[in-house]
Amino acid sequence: MNITIDGPGGSGKSTVAKLIAKKLSVSYLDTGAMYRAIAYYALKKGVEPDDEPTVIALIENLEMKLWEENGVQQVSVNGENVTPFIREHNISMAASTISKIPAVRIKLVELQRKIASVTDCIMDGRDCGSFVLPDAEYKFYMTASSDVRAERRRKELALKGQDIPFEEIKKDIEARDKQDMTRSFAPLVVPDKAVVIDTSEMTVDEVVNLICGYICR
């Protein structure tokens, strides 16, 4: 069984997907973390995310591994666990930029499809139901207003000690929305036959129960 949840940043899809995975006893795959990991690795190597030829050369022999530790998905790149660093604010836009490169998406999609082919899983991202697993049994698209998403992200970053102004976060979120939705390869769209859920005025539990209601009925 494969379940996909797509949507823009701050819509709550990762939080919801983790809870549903636990509730249904299936694996959880955070595809966004994979793009963030490559973005972090590129920046660490001094490579700009929009330098396509250099990025392609960088990932040619890149090895990525995913595993779960204490209920949290971990991701390593060439032997380095980069999980603690990929949620920094500057990585968000870098991940969006690097994900526009077809070679990057193809490399990660191959890994995502391989995982989904051998285990029941729920994955969230921006092209899971439209490109990665277009034949998934259950597809959802979560969204929310940019104000709500920016405030959620501001609180999330504050808990990690990152004090970023609301307006700056909102501006970055809207810029990433535009970039993700207009990229030529596997853009962010509402997948065919996906259930659309606006989480602006919903609690996490309400969203989880709504989605589980579709899956378990």
Side-chain angles (χ1 to χ4, degrees):
M1 178 176 67
N2 293 148
I3 306 163
T4 64
I5 301 180
D6 290 301
S11 57
K13 56 188 183 295
S14 294
T15 299
V16 167
K18 291 174 187 175
L19 291 172
I20 292 174
K22 187 174 182 179
K23 194 168 186 176
L24 301 182
S25 298
V26 299
S27 298
Y28 166 63
L29 179 60
D30 179 358
T31 66
M34 299 167 75
Y35 291 100
R36 285 173 173 270
I38 289 185
Y40 169 79
Y41 186 72
L43 291 173
K44 184 178 179 181
K45 293 294 184 180
V47 177
E48 290 298 319
D50 60 354
D51 183 351
E52 185 168 342
T54 308
V55 169
I56 291 174
L58 183 71
I59 68 170
E60 186 174 354
N61 296 310
L62 180 144
E63 182 182 63
M64 179 178 290
K65 292 183 178 180
L66 301 166
W67 72 98
E68 189 173 300
E69 190 173 294
N70 297 322
V72 178
Q73 177 179 290
Q74 307 290 313
V75 54
S76 70
V77 177
N78 290 348
E80 178 191 0
N81 187 345
V82 301
T83 309
F85 315 112
I86 61 175
R87 297 298 173 183
E88 295 175 2
H89 181 61
N90 68 307
I91 299 299
S92 294
M93 200 63 190
S96 176
T97 299
I98 213 164
S99 71
K100 293 195 302 180
I101 300 174
V104 172
R105 300 202 76 84
I106 289 171
K107 185 177 186 70
L108 295 187
V109 167
E110 286 178 353
L111 179 56
Q112 292 158 12
R113 286 175 175 167
K114 182 178 180 180
I115 293 171
S117 71
V118 297
T119 183
D120 293 336
C121 74
I122 179 168
M123 65 170 64
D124 73 272
R126 285 169 170 75
D127 64 348
C128 297
S130 58
F131 182 67
V132 182
L133 299 176
D135 297 323
E137 292 90 333
Y138 304 98
K139 297 190 283 186
F140 301 90
Y141 184 92
M142 289 173 53
T143 187
S145 70
S146 58
D147 281 340
V148 168
R149 291 187 286 126
E151 179 59 19
R152 288 173 180 170
R153 188 56 54 82
R154 186 193 68 78
K155 290 179 179 178
E156 178 184 305
L157 292 170
L159 289 173
K160 299 176 181 178
Q162 300 179 55
D163 186 18
I164 312 296
F166 170 84
E167 289 301 331
E168 180 180 338
I169 295 174
K170 181 181 177 181
K171 182 180 178 181
D172 287 349
I173 277 180
E174 291 176 342
R176 182 170 187 185
D177 287 351
K178 182 177 180 181
Q179 183 161 273
D180 290 341
M181 292 175 177
T182 58
R183 64 180 178 235
S184 59
F185 188 77
L188 170 62
V189 297
V190 178
D192 183 42
K193 297 181 181 180
V195 176
V196 179
I197 303 172
D198 188 327
T199 69
S200 298
E201 299 183 8
M202 297 180 70
T203 66
V204 171
D205 286 342
E206 286 173 339
V207 179
V208 169
N209 291 334
L210 178 61
I211 291 178
C212 286
Y214 279 100
I215 296 171
C216 301
R217 64 184 178 184

